[in-house]
Amino acid sequence: MSRTPIIAGNWKMHLTKRKASALAREIASAQGVRSNRRCYVFPTYVHLDHVRRNLRGSDVKLGAQNCWHKKEGAYTGEISPYMLRDMGVDVVLLGHSERRHVLGESDALIADKVKLALKAKLEVMLCVGEKIEEREAGLTFEVLARQMKALKMVKPGLADRVTIAYEPVWAIGTGAVATPEIAQEAHAEVRRQIAANLGPDVAAKMQILYGGSVTGSNAAELLSQPDVDGALVGGASLTIDKFAPILAAVQGA
Ligand code: PGA
């Protein structure tokens, strides 16, 4: 089963308007027209429109880092997935570990966001991953199974608009990248959970990205694992010098 690899840059709360626009232009030309991989970028909300204009003419997909779980209403400070769609956003990141563990988002809230984002015709990248104490207590698979239940919100026929990012919390921003073996073991479990929620055909097709301290030096080895279908990159996605080698790490790039 061939799954087109995805390399995604999560810019988090970084960059100025000028720097984000310049980086978008650089990525758009570095990415070029490649049939062997896809590239997504996730700027902060206020830079989405500038980045969109600077990606024009490329096949790089524009992503938002979050959305709210209601279409509209009195939710001061929140952003509807319909608003994102309206301004040309393709994909939304949901359940990132910083949303779960710094901002306190629950599995139930994230599941509701998945449901509405798909209804708004966005793609969804659902992030899952265990904390270090959960791994040490042997709870990794249990945590993944619980977080992956959000897939129950995916109606038949919409699964091709969903990707998963496995990001062990202990590897995010720490330099402590998972070994390829640890990543593969967790990705295989994530694929079992996709099958449990949506069936084996969907599981065979759905891309599972690895995230957590990915760099140009470790990307190729991670991507060579059978169930690792791409990378979600934070720190190393903020400059073209660091991001281009990750794009190039996709086989045959
Ligand atoms: P990192 O972040 O690459 O800086 O570890 C990854 C992420 O949080 O998506």
Side-chain angles (χ1 to χ4, degrees), residues 62-82:
L62 180 65
Q65 297 174 14
N66 184 32
C67 70
W68 192 232
H69 66 300
K70 298 285 182 187
K71 186 173 180 183
E72 61 183 336
Y75 302 105
T76 303
E78 287 300 338
I79 311 256
S80 160
Y82 287 83

Side-chain angles (χ1 to χ4, degrees), residues 22-146:
L23 182 57
R25 275 196 303 281
E26 289 168 331
I27 291 175
S29 47
Q31 164 69 0
V33 180
R34 303 287 167 89
S35 55
N36 67 339
R37 65 170 183 235
R38 285 196 257 148
C39 179
Y40 295 6
V41 293
F42 294 91
T44 188
Y45 288 131
V46 293
H47 296 152
L48 280 169
D49 201 42
H50 306 284
V51 169
R52 183 180 61 76
R53 280 189 253 134
N54 284 283
L55 291 175
R56 206 172 269 157
S58 80
D59 56 359
V60 177
K61 290 202 183 188
L62 180 65
Q65 297 174 14
N66 184 32
C67 70
W68 192 232
H69 66 300
K70 298 285 182 187
K71 186 173 180 183
E72 61 183 336
Y75 302 105
T76 303
E78 287 300 338
I79 311 256
S80 160
Y82 287 83
M83 293 169 176
L84 296 174
R85 189 70 201 136
D86 183 47
M87 77 180 305
V89 168
D90 303 299
V91 48
V92 63
L93 203 60
L94 293 175
H96 188 277
S97 87
E98 288 140 23
R99 302 293 323 170
R100 291 178 190 271
H101 304 303
V102 182
L103 284 306
E105 291 195 1
S106 67
D107 290 317
L109 176 67
I110 294 160
D112 285 344
K113 291 182 177 194
V114 169
K115 186 176 177 188
L116 194 67
L118 288 172
K119 206 167 164 208
K121 300 200 168 16
L122 290 170
E123 282 184 34
V124 166
M125 186 175 289
L126 173 68
C127 303
V128 297
E130 80 288 359
K131 297 193 273 191
I132 190 66
E133 55 271 30
E134 293 166 334
R135 171 161 287 270
E136 284 170 357
L139 295 173
T140 299
F141 286 9
E142 213 170 290
V143 170
L144 293 177
R146 196 191 69 226

Side-chain angles (χ1 to χ4, degrees), residues 8-12 14 93 96-98 127 165 167-177 210-215 231-238 246:
N10 174 11
W11 297 353
K12 307 193 182 185
H14 291 295
L93 203 60
H96 188 277
S97 87
E98 288 140 23
C127 303
E167 299 201 300
V169 180
W170 44 270
I172 297 178
T174 59
V177 64
Y210 168 81
S213 297
V214 174
T215 64
L232 177 56
V233 187
S237 71
L238 294 173
I246 302 174

Side-chain angles (χ1 to χ4, degrees), residues 157-219:
L158 294 187
D160 59 347
R161 285 208 261 120
V162 179
T163 53
I164 307 293
Y166 167 66
E167 299 201 300
V169 180
W170 44 270
I172 297 178
T174 59
V177 64
T179 62
E181 295 71 30
I182 287 181
Q184 170 54 30
E185 184 191 41
H187 281 230
E189 176 59 19
V190 167
R191 205 171 299 288
R192 273 192 289 279
Q193 292 301 330
I194 300 169
N197 285 284
L198 299 174
D201 295 349
V202 170
K205 282 194 225 147
M206 194 173 281
Q207 286 109 325
I208 308 171
L209 282 65
Y210 168 81
S213 297
V214 174
T215 64
S217 353
N218 59 33

